[in-house]
């Protein structure tokens, strides 16, 4: 199993550009989420999904869109990049909706994004 | 607002025991989890406390007191490879994780 994979590993954008960060998992996990991590801070939830076709907003959703057409994939789209979106982005998955029983989250290796 | 407080940095000696504290304030609370993150790496799960008391997993233990809104991670027999950042994360009323800012553990030989 590859676990959770993310592409690209590094990305530099100019202000106003759009792009999609890819995330895929091969563990048949129902729950997937996107976080951003800024220096000296913990992870902040951007968007999450409890299953294919279902997404919801987290703590910091503005400027980002997600979709979940399959169980495996959960892409994150930056609509119009801003310098404030410079961060490390982590995708995570867990076995089921954490509302049922707590399941450890498995994280991808991260995407380091710089917006100039 | 929702917040978790943990020390920004802790220093310990190889072979010793260290405790990393975490206090939380969330809208609803279901449990406290701990993750380890090495520099440049992704967080990895260490433990979860849904009930009061101590959970032990090898050299690592985690404790929760709901009445005090407090928990801690205890690392025993410290090894150099334990040098990392440690995050507490509280599961709130929406079952989402609210993360602390992390504690950087520095281990000296």
């Amino acid at each position: 199993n590859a676990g959770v994979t993310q592409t690209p590993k590094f990305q530099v954008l100019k202000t106003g550009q759009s792009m999609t960060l890819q995330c895929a998992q091969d563990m048949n996990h129902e729950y997937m989420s996107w976080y951003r991590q800024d220096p000296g801070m913990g992870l902040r939830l951007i968007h999450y999904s409890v299953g294919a076709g279902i997404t919801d907003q987290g703590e910091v959703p503005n400027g980002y869109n997600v979709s979940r057409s399959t169980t495996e994939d959960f892409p994150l789209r930056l609509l119009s990049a801003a310098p404030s979106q410079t961060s490390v982005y982590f995708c995570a998955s867990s076995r089921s909706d954490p509302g049922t029983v707590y399941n450890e989250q498995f994280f991808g290796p991260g995407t380091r994004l710089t917006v100039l | 607002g929702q917040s978790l407080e943990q020390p920004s940095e802790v220093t310990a000696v190889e072979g010793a025991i260290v405790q990393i504290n975490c206090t939380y304030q969330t809208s609803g609370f279901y449990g406290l989890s701990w993750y380890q993150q090495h520099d440049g790496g992704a967080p990895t799960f260490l433990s979860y406390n849904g009930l009061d008391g101590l959970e032990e997993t090898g050299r690592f233990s985690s404790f929760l007191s709901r009445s005090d809104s407090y928990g801690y991670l205890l690392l025993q027999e410290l090894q150099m490879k334990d040098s990392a950042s440690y995050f507490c994360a509280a599961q709130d009323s929406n079952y989402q994780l609210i993360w602390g800012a992390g504690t950087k553990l520095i281990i000296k030989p």
Side-chain angles (χ1 to χ4, degrees):
Chain A
N1 284 353
V4 181
T5 58
Q6 291 183 237
T7 56
K9 285 186 168 52
F10 299 93
Q11 182 70 48
V12 179
L13 292 177
K14 294 181 180 178
T15 297
Q17 288 185 314
S18 62
M19 79 159 295
T20 299
L21 307 185
Q22 301 292 344
C23 174
Q25 53 90 10
D26 61 359
M27 298 174 281
N28 201 32
H29 284 172
E30 291 295 324
Y31 183 86
M32 296 186 73
S33 55
W34 276 102
Y35 292 92
R36 61 177 289 174
Q37 184 176 32
D38 300 306
M41 297 181 68
L43 281 71
R44 290 185 292 169
L45 183 65
I46 304 171
H47 286 283
Y48 65 97
S49 168
V50 298
I54 306 169
T55 64
D56 207 345
Q57 296 181 351
E59 182 186 356
V60 288
N62 292 342
Y64 309 94
N65 273 353
V66 292
S67 59
R68 184 95 180 270
S69 55
T70 67
T71 299
E72 294 78 20
D73 299 298
F74 191 43
L76 177 73
R77 283 184 290 278
L78 279 72
L79 309 174
S80 177
S84 61
Q85 293 179 305
T86 294
S87 189
V88 180
Y89 291 84
F90 287 102
C91 178
S93 73
S94 62
R95 197 168 57 206
S96 62
D97 182 346
T100 54
V101 60
Y102 186 81
N103 294 289
E104 67 176 281
Q105 295 203 27
F106 294 84
F107 285 81
T111 294
R112 283 145 185 82
L113 176 68
T114 301
V115 183
L116 302 175
Chain B
Q2 304 194 101
S3 65
L4 282 85
E5 298 291 329
Q6 53 181 129
S8 59
E9 188 175 292
V10 171
T11 301
V13 177
E14 191 175 14
I17 299 171
V18 71
Q19 178 173 313
I20 298 173
N21 298 322
C22 174
T23 58
Y24 60 86
Q25 180 180 354
T26 58
S27 55
F29 176 81
Y30 286 97
L32 191 70
S33 55
W34 290 91
Y35 284 78
Q36 178 192 61
Q37 185 180 32
H38 287 97
D39 284 347
T44 56
F45 174 79
L46 291 176
S47 68
Y48 174 76
N49 293 75
L51 301 173
D52 282 1
L54 193 67
E55 293 283 341
E56 296 180 83
T57 309
R59 294 187 297 115
F60 293 1
S61 303
S62 58
F63 173 83
L64 175 66
S65 169
R66 287 170 170 266
S67 60
D68 295 322
S69 297
Y70 164 76
Y72 66 72
L73 179 69
L74 191 73
L75 296 83
Q76 302 182 72
E77 301 173 17
L78 285 173
Q79 303 174 9
M80 296 304 293
K81 68 178 182 180
D82 298 329
S83 296
S85 291
Y86 292 84
F87 293 86
C88 57
Q91 196 176 11
D92 71 4
S93 57
N94 294 318
Y95 305 106
Q96 302 309 321
L97 289 181
I98 307 299
W99 294 71
T103 298
K104 185 176 179 67
L105 175 60
I106 298 170
I107 300 174
K108 297 184 175 181

